[in-house]
Amino acid sequence: MHKQGIRDVAQLAGVSISTVSRAFTRPDLVSPKTREKVMTAANQLDFNISRSATALKSGQTFRVALLMNQEVTSWFNAQVFAGLESVLHAQGYDISLFQHIDDAKNRESFFTDLPVLRNVDAVFVASFAIEPEEVDALRRTRVPIIGINTPNIDAFDASVCIDDEGGMFKAAQHMINLGHKRIVYTCSAPEESLVSSIDARGRGFVRACTAAAEKDPDLHWKVLSVPRGRDFADSALAAVLSEEEFPDAICCQMDMMAIPLMLKMQRHGYYTPRDYSIIGFDDANYADTVDLTTMRQDPYAMGASAARKGLALLHGEELKEAHSVIEPRLILRGTDARRNPDQPLVRG
Amino acid sequence: MHKQGIRDVAQLAGVSISTVSRAFTRPDLVSPKTREKVMTAANQLDFNISRSATALKSGQTFRVALLMNQEVTSWFNAQVFAGLESVLHAQGYDISLFQHIDDAKNRESFFTDLPVLRNVDAVFVASFAIEPEEVDALRRTRVPIIGINTPNIDAFDASVCIDDEGGMFKAAQHMINLGHKRIVYTCSAPEESLVSSIDARGRGFVRACTAAAEKDPDLHWKVLSVPRGRDFADSALAAVLSEEEFPDAICCQMDMMAIPLMLKMQRHGYYTPRDYSIIGFDDANYADTVDLTTMRQDPYAMGASAARKGLALLHGEELKEAHSVIEPRLILRGTDARRNPDQPLVRG
DNA sequence: TTGAAAGCGGTACCAA
DNA sequence: TTGGTACCGCTTTCAA
């Protein structure tokens, strides 16, 4: 039994191929009984409209590209992907995924070969900055380019970003307000090759602490930067434990840093909130389980929002708000406590 | 400036469109200097071969479907997706994702509308069983159907599964061998509508315990089943804590259950491995951080393997081994310890 | 090595 | 409301 095409259906139903096409795409233009005949025939022959043919004819590709750092499997990337998917799949779009764009080789080959040229209807960029010349390359696709948590937004037709700097400013301010005097910020060092959206968080921390330290000479703060990589949490743990004085508050660049840190700190005798306060960023997996106070962002919602903007753009609509900035929200849980000023700082 | 097509390139390069086509797809059939001319022209006009047109002409769709339970964002699903993606993307295939097939409505509409009919080159099914009539529906697509951790494999052209039952048998046996006498299995209850691959794990537990209890009358075991859903870990915690006697060993259906359990148990004064042993299943996120002894499976590798099988199948190749079963591996970490027979069981 | 031309499976305009 | 038909952009056979 051969593959059945639109003309087989037309023949079986005793109508023209135009009518078959309309029965699928504009059913309202076909009389009910004709439509019925067509659908019966189609069902009988296991026929369905070919997306490739529709795409070719329409000039659309029904495909978008998603560029990301590292793996899809990370919490942030998976959420963004799922958010995009939730609105795009329903509209008949596939997502063509380009992972590990932070790898210099991938990046180079992506932007020179530009496999997306004439092959996607929109490009989404998640959480890293693209260079001016890469922007130029992307522009050649002549499709909307939408940023999600991208450090610079001017290169994009639209964007959805959280206020990384403001969020970490709030987190640090919260620690300051609790009376903490020795505050550290643990983070993975920015990479020279790639500006990532989370690098702005450090600036928020520094800004809050600088301002507070001016008014309060007893307040000390420090940035503990460790290499990005598999074991960055262990590196951060080592960095904290080898400080001259144990901090009474830790601001973490992200929950994936904060959670291992607080868990492993226990093994060294430090308990939160008894001995120190700790605040994360993201409200990622297990943050609620370990009762971590953190700054919440919702990458799923950001992905969905970006997808809606992209869709609007490629339908030629004007966006009311092309660039959205979302404020992360302080989620108070159990790892922050007011410092008792009479109690000396704990030592290991 | 209008969109540039193959004939614009042909004209600019002073060749025919056939030559342009060949320059891209069969460069070896074109003389070097002609190819050079074509590529220069193509680059100048931002031209690239259209995947839609290639797809239409070739009869392939360059798209596969992936059906899954629940969200892509869960550890297992994200890993499987990434594994598939890692081999399929490189070969020019997109993945069309169908999530939440466990939802009765989605499931119904998917199998009756069958949107994948004539629109994918292969179908992958992750971690749930499909009904005989659903198999029939899928068969109408006339494309290879590949299972990943599917309870029944006979419906599939190929499959990659782990031995869920055998793995949990090993886990339980390990607890038994450590001398534990009150062993519980915590799990989320199977759903009536959907057979999931993890439901086999309970059988492995029961089999190991039944055999051991026959030889050792002091050995007691029990299955603690809680409703599937958002707070299944809290339900399991409650179930364990409200047992008449606190167990000395806990086998968990999955790490996502074991990790919250061991963490929250601490708040109630129970520490592992001091007071009880606990073993998970999956080796998922944070299992290493919390030092959880567990059974490892590698869904990323399974996805990649399934993808390779699917590709082979749709190229018409014979598979050496259509159905693979992978044994999960016991990863010994810090949450299991030999029970001291002289020490009475702890009480809360 | 290159070119001409027939389709792949639809869509949509124009006519009836 | 329905049918005829010219494409959409590429691949591929056949001929030159």
Side-chain angles (χ1 to χ4, degrees), chain B residues 16 18-19 22 30-31 34 56-57 118:
Chain B
S16 71
S18 324
T19 302
R22 275 189 291 256
V30 175
S31 81
T34 307
L56 177 59
K57 180 64 189 178
R118 296 211 327 148

Side-chain angles (χ1 to χ4, degrees), chain A residues 319-340:
Chain A
L319 293 176
K320 302 182 277 291
E321 183 188 69
H323 300 279
S324 322
V325 175
I326 298 167
E327 285 301 320
R329 206 153 65 79
L330 173 59
I331 304 295
L332 294 168
R333 285 197 276 242
T335 61
D336 58 314
R338 170 156 293 279
R339 182 192 169 206
N340 181 346

